[in-house]
Amino acid sequence: MQAEIQLPAILTIYEVQAVATQWLPLVKAQPTRLLLDVSALEQLDGAGFQLLVSLMKALPKRSCQIKSALELQVQSAWLVAQLQALDLVVPEVVC
C-alpha cells in the first residue's frame, strides 16, 4: 500500500494533536511506501519535529520519500539530515 501525507503550512505544538489524530489510521495501516509532502510547510517547531520523528519510527525503514517544492530544498535537506542523524533513513527528496 502506498500513502501520501501533506504537511500543513504550520506544524507547531498547537497543531500537533490534530495532525497526529489524522495520521493514526495511516500508521496503523503500515504502508510500504509513504510520500511525505513538505511543500506547503512554512513553520515547524520542536513538537512538530517530534511528531515527524514518531511517524518515521512507526513506519518500516526505507519506506518514506520527502516531496518538496524547489524553493524548499534547503529546508528539506535539513529535515532529511536530522532524520538520518536519528537513524531514520529517508532515501530521497523528490520535487
Side-chain angles (χ1 to χ4, degrees):
M1 176 182 112
Q2 293 187 349
E4 181 172 342
I5 291 179
Q6 169 79 43
L7 292 185
I10 300 171
L11 186 55
T12 65
I13 193 168
Y14 304 107
E15 293 80 28
V16 164
Q17 182 62 45
V19 172
T21 301
Q22 293 171 354
W23 291 357
L24 192 57
L26 178 71
V27 171
K28 287 182 179 180
Q30 289 290 293
T32 54
R33 295 295 288 158
L34 174 68
L35 181 62
L36 186 61
D37 188 344
V38 300
S39 58
L41 187 65
E42 296 175 6
Q43 186 177 0
L44 177 71
D45 72 356
F49 183 72
Q50 286 176 335
L51 179 62
L52 288 176
V53 168
S54 295
L55 172 69
M56 301 294 289
K57 284 185 174 185
L59 296 172
K61 280 194 174 190
R62 299 181 194 172
S63 65
C64 186
Q65 287 183 310
I66 293 181
K67 179 180 177 184
S68 174
L70 201 52
E71 61 272 10
L72 296 176
Q73 286 295 313
V74 172
Q75 291 92 329
S76 297
W78 177 87
L79 182 59
V80 168
Q82 299 308 308
L83 294 172
Q84 286 176 331
L86 294 170
D87 198 29
L88 301 170
V89 177
V90 179
E92 61 184 296
V93 176
V94 294
C95 293

